[in-house]
Amino acid sequence: MIRDITVLAGGTGGARFLQGLLHGIETGALPGVSPDAVVTVVANTADDLWVHGLKVCPDLDTVMYTLGDGIDPVRRWGRRDETWSVKTELAAYGVEPTWFGLGDRDVATHLVRTQMLEAGYPLSQVTTALCRRWLEPRWGDRVRLLPMTDDRVETHVAVADDESPSGRRVVHFQEYWVRLRAAVPAETVVFVGLDQATPGPGVLDAITGADLVLLPPSNPVVSVGTILGVPDVRDVLRVTKAPVVGVSPIVGASHVHGMAEQMLTSIGVEVSAAAVGLHYGARSTGGVLDGWLVDEGDADQVARVVDGGVACRAVPLMMTDHDATAVMAAAAIDLVT
């Protein structure tokens, strides 16, 4: 019986997958999973940044708001029923950056987080405190949200710049995504501080003590990839007794949401479901996967993944609603059990 599930998650894709996973647990739709199973989410923090003196953690907040029913359902980030007076007033003062706006309701989260960090609390304890509002009322102790590290890690992207002596400039990942809209090629991705980071409290135990580890369809380079880049995380994934199953973020020859296509290109990985699975690699050959799901439209790639040592199956991967996502989660479990 599966009682402890650990999910390595980015923002939007990870949060939507978690909704379906939890729905499947509650409705008994997941084979072999206990109805009181505990889900531990290890979230990417390499997208974090400081804005207007406030610490912003986009992926932590997206998971927290989504599972706490506070997310904006259209944008899939930020707070529901948001207003933007603070953003407007800051712009009127000419305060940069104007391309990254903090909503009036969302800013309260960042204020609390920043005050606690400046008081000496680590990000993991701050996140636990914030989750008392968002997760505990709905999920009790059945859902835990852990930052991948308490250390400062940031993702930066190099883009071409004819006015720079080097011919390129480096921008924070959020500027690449929000201001540039990922519309220019990413020449390289730099993870500042990642190789010196320490796994956050509980992260390694959540992996080694799990009955199942899931990699949802989050960005394999700047979401799941950064979690795997924290020292020791990849090592414990290779030795955990739990099967490790991933879900492809690539359907056909493109990402479903976000910018996996741009990021994969920047590291020289083919943009295909099979290539991403092989990029993660088989645990039997030093990688991190036992199983990999691809979309039914990519069924012709299954054999390539299997040849790489990873069990693979083609199933519908569109997370159109919680039921459809629960079916995906059930397929992931069935693949390795």
Side-chain angles (χ1 to χ4, degrees):
M1 182 68 70
I2 296 172
R3 299 185 182 278
D4 290 287
I5 301 173
T6 295
V7 181
L8 311 186
T12 301
R16 287 173 64 83
F17 181 83
L18 284 161
Q19 283 183 303
L21 175 69
L22 291 166
H23 174 72
I25 293 172
E26 288 196 314
T27 59
L30 305 185
V33 176
S34 170
D36 58 355
V38 173
V39 175
T40 300
V41 185
V42 178
N44 166 50
T45 59
D47 292 4
D48 295 4
L49 74 166
W50 288 84
V51 181
H52 306 307
L54 300 178
K55 176 72 167 181
V56 180
C57 302
D59 283 5
L60 283 172
D61 290 347
T62 295
V63 171
M64 186 173 70
Y65 291 156
T66 299
L67 300 186
D69 197 29
I71 199 79
D72 184 285
V74 177
R75 294 193 312 265
R76 302 181 189 173
W77 57 267
R79 291 289 304 282
R80 185 193 304 271
D81 301 323
E82 188 61 279
T83 55
W84 303 93
S85 297
V86 170
K87 178 183 178 182
T88 301
E89 290 298 310
L90 287 169
Y93 281 113
V95 177
E96 296 290 343
T98 57
W99 52 265
F100 194 95
L102 301 178
D104 301 334
R105 305 185 78 186
D106 190 32
V107 75
T109 297
H110 310 315
L111 281 167
V112 172
R113 177 185 291 119
T114 303
Q115 289 173 347
M116 291 188 69
L117 289 171
E118 291 181 344
Y121 292 95
L123 182 60
S124 53
Q125 291 185 25
V126 176
T127 301
T128 298
L130 293 172
C131 287
R132 291 193 185 105
R133 174 187 178 186
W134 290 104
L135 299 186
E136 284 191 11
R138 172 67 176 86
W139 303 105
D141 59 359
R142 291 182 296 148
V143 177
R144 296 191 303 156
L145 178 60
L146 307 178
M148 69 183 196
T149 181
D150 280 336
D151 299 319
R152 184 170 180 174
V153 176
E154 292 184 0
T155 301
H156 293 252
V157 181
V159 298
D161 183 355
D162 293 337
E163 297 181 2
S164 170
S166 67
R168 62 166 57 173
R169 63 190 174 97
V170 177
V171 299
H172 191 283
F173 173 78
Q174 291 298 332
E175 183 174 356
Y176 181 76
W177 176 229
V178 179
R179 188 176 76 82
L180 299 179
R181 300 184 182 277
V184 297
E187 295 191 355
T188 188
V189 182
V190 180
F191 303 106
V192 180
L194 184 60
D195 55 352
Q196 289 88 37
T198 301
V203 168
L204 299 184
D205 289 342
I207 296 171
T208 58
D211 298 314
L212 175 71
V213 178
L214 296 171
L215 278 57
S218 297
N219 193 301
V221 181
V222 296
S223 292
V224 175
T226 51
I227 301 172
L228 297 178
V230 176
D232 298 330
V233 168
R234 192 181 293 269
D235 291 338
V236 298
L237 273 172
R238 290 169 177 155
V239 300
T240 179
K241 62 180 177 60
V244 182
V245 190
V247 180
S248 174
I250 302 296
V251 173
S254 182
H255 50 245
V256 178
H257 178 77
M259 65 182 87
E261 185 174 344
Q262 293 93 321
M263 296 295 99
L264 287 168
T265 300
S266 74
I267 64 170
V269 174
E270 172 191 309
V271 182
S272 71
V276 175
L278 296 174
H279 170 67
Y280 285 137
R283 283 215 288 176
S284 60
T285 57
V288 300
L289 291 179
D290 296 304
W292 184 241
L293 293 182
V294 302
D295 186 71
E296 57 188 349
D298 293 320
D300 60 338
Q301 298 184 41
V302 169
R304 181 180 167 193
V305 178
V306 172
D307 288 344
V310 180
C312 186
R313 185 175 300 163
V315 300
L317 292 188
M318 293 295 101
M319 296 188 289
T320 52
D321 54 37
H322 296 343
D323 286 330
T325 308
V327 170
M328 287 170 47
I333 296 167
D334 183 63
L335 181 62
V336 291
T337 58

